[in-house]
Amino acid sequence: MYYSRLKMMGVLGICLLGLLLCIPNFMRAPAPHMPWRQIHLGLDLRGGSYLLMRLDQQSLAGDRLQTLEDEARQALLDKGLGYRDFQRDAAHRILSFAPRDAGEAEAAMKAVAALPQTVSNEFSVANQDGRIVLTLGREAVAQRAREAISQSIEIVRRRIDGTGAIDPEITREGDDRIVVELPGISDPQRIKALLGTTAKMTFRLLANSAGGTTAPPGATMLTDISTGQPLPVSDHVEVDGGDLTNAGAVIDQQSGNWAVTFTFDRSGARAFADTTRANVGRRFAIVLDNKVIEAPVIQTPITGGNGQITGNFTAQSATDLALMLRAGALPAPLSVIEQRSIGPSLGADSIRAGGISLGVGFVLVILFMVLFYGRFGLYANVALLANLVLMTAILSLFQATLTLPGMAGMLLTLGMAVDANILINERIREEVGRGRTALAAMQAGFERATSTIVDSNATAFLAHVMLFVFGTGPVRGFALTITIGIVTTLFTTLLLSRLLMVRWYALTRPSVLPV
């Protein structure tokens, strides 16, 4: 029961620090760049937008079939085998072609079956009515979708962070869906445009064509967004946009219009230089999401690893395109299948209702403790108030997001903290009933209750840590406040309450304890 001056100053200092960390939540930052850490309100309290997005598995299968077609063409040529009429059917996950003559069918099947597979049993090869048919397995596509969702979450996060949105919540739902919660954004049209754009950039040569709207073999007709005319673009990708290391929006010095500059990494710069060196005089298309942004003629080899995209850009569109290129291309398009908006008035009502419930519960607990335990109940209430302050301070320090489940967790924490104080006071009351002196009763009460309090809070702490690790959304918010509350409860119950009791006893030296 002895408290040194240093220990007493440490306990009171932590409580004072917690009070100072709470202040930023109730006032504006005095200076624009001053570190002013506050609790962020979640979607259900602040209002905002909820987006449920689904990955396009058909597009993912189509991209894989395109890659397999390029590999199959090259494998057949390496074996000296001819082919004709390649066809892709992404809906049924099928790639087919006809061999040059029937006698080469068996050799063509072996050449295609030997293509590298990204997963086990990714595709099967069969001969159907004289055509070689390669079919992607359903489970292989599903596995690629799961991997693509994990990759898409990081890309979506980078894109949203680039817009300056505060504390977005991005979580996975199922095998092919992503949930995006945007507190404070009630009209997320720009966010939807950013996330709905795959931003897959490739650099390809224009194929030689006799004119018309039909592409030659190995090419696809793509629309030039500046002229609206179809252009025969080679299916072979000379340089991939994944080799970009940086992109930015600038004003073109010659035209005065907005443009986007880009920089390749070492391998991309080498491929870009080799392609432009070998194809001087040909048109080189910059393709973004299967649309041609530009198709300039290669005048001289470009060996610096830098380039610039011009077009009908505005400041916003150039900035957004640069942001998407920096964040990386999505492995497949994301489509919004559900959207909900929560207005700030509804969030204010939720805050008011949550504040009322927290306040009423707090007052009832205070009255209960004072009525049943007198002065020691009053000390427990002081510790309870300090507990609430410390919880708020820690949430502010880490700029955590507070949701309605989080507010429920704070109220439950106060109830758990009261339980700990009740255990201590009941133990002290039992020791007084056994005839111990006042100091001995306080000493024994704290000693016997401490192990019970620590054990019960330790098990609760582990359970809520698991909830936070494996839970999502509201469950994590609830678990976070409970986990923080358990730590602050142990501090205020075992240190602050005891400090108040010890100081009172040292000053008054009572013969009878008020319990």
Side-chain angles (χ1 to χ4, degrees), residues 171-172 462-477 479:
T171 54
R172 179 178 189 154
L462 292 175
H464 287 91
V465 165
M466 293 300 102
L467 276 180
F468 181 81
V469 171
F470 297 107
T472 57
V475 174
R476 296 190 70 184

Side-chain angles (χ1 to χ4, degrees), residues 424-484:
I424 293 173
N425 289 327
E426 287 295 333
R427 280 289 187 179
I428 294 175
R429 184 177 287 177
E430 288 179 5
E431 298 302 324
V432 170
R434 293 175 181 175
R436 288 179 179 266
T437 62
L439 183 59
M442 291 173 61
Q443 176 79 24
F446 269 103
E447 285 181 352
R448 296 187 177 185
T450 296
S451 60
T452 304
I453 293 171
V454 171
D455 289 346
S456 62
N457 280 277
T459 54
F461 180 84
L462 292 175
H464 287 91
V465 165
M466 293 300 102
L467 276 180
F468 181 81
V469 171
F470 297 107
T472 57
V475 174
R476 296 190 70 184
F478 177 81
L480 177 65
T481 52
I482 292 287
T483 303
I484 293 173

Side-chain angles (χ1 to χ4, degrees), residues 37 74 218 246 273 319 384 391 411 423:
R37 295 183 173 272
Q74 188 61 47
N246 194 18
T319 301
L384 200 63
M391 275 195 293
L411 185 56
L423 281 174

Side-chain angles (χ1 to χ4, degrees), residues 169-460:
E169 184 74 20
I170 305 167
T171 54
R172 179 178 189 154
E173 184 175 284
D175 290 338
D176 62 346
R177 298 184 181 188
I178 297 175
V179 174
V180 180
E181 295 183 0
L182 304 166
I185 299 178
S186 57
D187 184 21
Q189 294 305 316
R190 183 189 175 200
I191 301 292
K192 287 173 61 180
L194 285 174
L195 302 185
T197 303
T198 308
K200 185 174 183 179
M201 178 175 285
T202 56
F203 298 81
R204 314 185 210 171
L205 292 168
L206 259 62
N208 296 321
S209 174
T213 58
T214 302
T220 304
M221 301 300 292
L222 300 180
T223 303
D224 187 336
I225 60 175
S226 60
T227 64
Q229 300 296 320
L231 296 175
V233 180
S234 173
D235 291 335
H236 178 68
V237 175
E238 302 291 343
V239 187
D240 193 278
D243 295 329
L244 293 175
T245 59
N246 194 18
V250 298
I251 296 179
D252 184 27
Q253 298 298 322
Q254 296 180 354
S255 64
N257 297 324
W258 282 94
V260 176
T261 60
F262 57 86
T263 304
F264 287 109
D265 59 16
R266 181 175 298 178
S267 61
R270 185 184 305 113
F272 198 77
D274 292 343
T275 302
T276 54
R277 185 180 299 111
N279 294 279
V280 173
R282 293 186 62 181
R283 296 183 68 183
F284 198 31
I286 303 173
V287 181
L288 179 69
D289 293 344
N290 291 325
K291 293 183 179 179
V292 178
I293 299 179
E294 277 189 300
V297 176
I298 300 174
Q299 302 290 347
T300 57
I302 303 174
T303 59
N306 301 313
Q308 179 173 290
I309 306 170
T310 58
N312 298 321
F313 290 119
T314 63
Q316 188 68 70
S317 62
T319 301
D320 288 347
L321 177 57
L323 168 62
M324 289 185 288
L325 294 179
R326 287 196 305 271
L330 291 168
L334 293 172
S335 58
V336 178
I337 59 175
E338 183 182 349
Q339 176 181 345
R340 296 200 304 266
S341 293
I342 300 175
S345 59
L346 182 59
D349 292 340
S350 299
I351 295 174
R352 190 179 304 110
I356 291 173
S357 63
L358 189 62
V360 171
F362 192 74
V363 170
L364 291 177
V365 168
I366 287 177
L367 292 176
F368 174 84
M369 294 300 292
V370 171
L371 290 175
F372 276 79
Y373 299 105
R375 179 181 290 274
F376 283 1
L378 180 62
Y379 292 156
N381 289 333
V382 174
L384 200 63
L385 181 61
N387 194 356
L388 182 61
V389 169
L390 290 176
M391 275 195 293
T392 307
I394 294 175
L395 291 172
S396 302
L397 182 63
F398 293 101
Q399 295 181 305
T401 300
L402 183 63
T403 60
L404 277 176
M407 294 184 71
M410 296 179 73
L411 185 56
L412 180 58
T413 298
L414 297 181
M416 293 167 61
V418 167
D419 289 344
N421 283 283
I422 289 175
L423 281 174
I424 293 173
N425 289 327
E426 287 295 333
R427 280 289 187 179
I428 294 175
R429 184 177 287 177
E430 288 179 5
E431 298 302 324
V432 170
R434 293 175 181 175
R436 288 179 179 266
T437 62
L439 183 59
M442 291 173 61
Q443 176 79 24
F446 269 103
E447 285 181 352
R448 296 187 177 185
T450 296
S451 60
T452 304
I453 293 171
V454 171
D455 289 346
S456 62
N457 280 277
T459 54

